[in-house]
Amino acid sequence: MQETEIEFKNLLTKDEFENIERALFKDVEAVSQTNYYVDTDRFDLRSNYLMLRIRKREDMNMLTLKVPMDEHVTEEFHNPLNEDIHIGDIVNKDMLSRPMFLIIRSHLINRTLRVVDKLTTLRKEIDYNGGTLVLDYSTYLGHEDYEIEFEVDDVSKETVFNELLDTFNITKKDTPVKVERFYNALESN
């Protein structure tokens, strides 16, 4: 399965997170999901701007390869997995869909892929002005952060996201994607 993801995001302080949660998400149940990030021992995927993760949500494991296309736009390739996942596990080529395998090989990456570590998120989602508004609290490698995301089908809807930030008096911040924050924490440990 393949899809294009368009999203805008902003890191929040704990107070900003709680204000938005009270105003927009107070009756929404949080769902727990864990991202197990996959790379080689030399972080070849990261250095080629690729992200491979296994997301465990309830009883489902989904392997996803993300390929950046443009600012705020990512091409995603998904493959469901039946295997249980642990840190240190090897991800072999049989677990990858053919497009995933071909993209990774096109970057001349042929080292062993292994689960590096994990990031766990408590996520709340609502429909919001033509998109999906997501509130995330994530913990990983002794770190925690708060984030708001707006997932849409058209880049022009960024104005809706900016208006939301203005409504809650939130300064727009340069916000690296979760996997980049994860890798930054991994390097600092």
Side-chain angles (χ1 to χ4, degrees), residues 53-176:
R53 72 158 188 243
I54 301 165
R55 175 170 285 169
K56 184 175 181 70
R57 192 171 186 173
E58 297 170 2
D59 291 335
M60 184 190 75
N61 294 330
M62 182 67 70
L63 181 64
T64 300
L65 176 67
K66 289 190 174 194
V67 181
M69 304 305 289
D70 201 356
E71 185 177 16
H72 306 294
V73 181
T74 305
E75 199 70 26
E76 294 187 356
F77 301 84
H78 305 285
N79 198 32
L81 298 177
N82 295 322
E83 295 85 358
D84 203 16
I85 305 305
H86 301 94
I87 296 168
D89 285 355
I90 291 175
V91 174
N92 62 52
K93 71 178 187 177
D94 296 338
M95 297 166 85
L96 304 171
S97 67
R98 182 154 176 77
M100 290 174 173
F101 177 79
L102 293 174
I103 290 167
I104 290 170
R105 287 297 181 244
S106 74
H107 290 275
L108 304 177
I109 299 169
N110 57 14
R111 291 186 182 89
T112 301
L113 297 170
R114 187 178 307 276
V115 176
V116 177
D117 216 310
K118 66 182 181 176
L119 175 149
T120 299
T121 299
L122 289 176
R123 170 168 282 190
K124 292 185 173 189
E125 294 182 5
I126 60 169
D127 292 332
Y128 184 83
N129 290 353
T132 302
L133 194 62
V134 179
L135 199 61
D136 284 345
Y137 166 67
S138 298
T139 56
Y140 50 100
L141 303 168
H143 295 262
E144 65 180 1
D145 63 42
Y146 304 88
E147 176 183 38
I148 190 162
E149 295 180 1
F150 189 45
E151 299 172 357
V152 294
D153 58 8
D154 184 349
V155 175
S156 69
K157 292 182 181 173
E158 182 176 15
T159 55
V160 174
F161 184 65
N162 292 337
E163 289 168 2
L164 172 75
L165 295 180
D166 288 344
T167 299
F168 285 91
N169 199 25
I170 296 170
T171 303
K172 193 169 184 178
K173 301 171 189 83
D174 183 31
T175 300

Side-chain angles (χ1 to χ4, degrees), residues 46 143 176 179-189:
R46 180 185 187 201
H143 295 262
V179 69
E180 198 55 37
R181 299 192 312 261
F182 167 83
Y183 277 116
N184 290 340
L186 189 63
E187 288 174 347
S188 70
N189 283 354

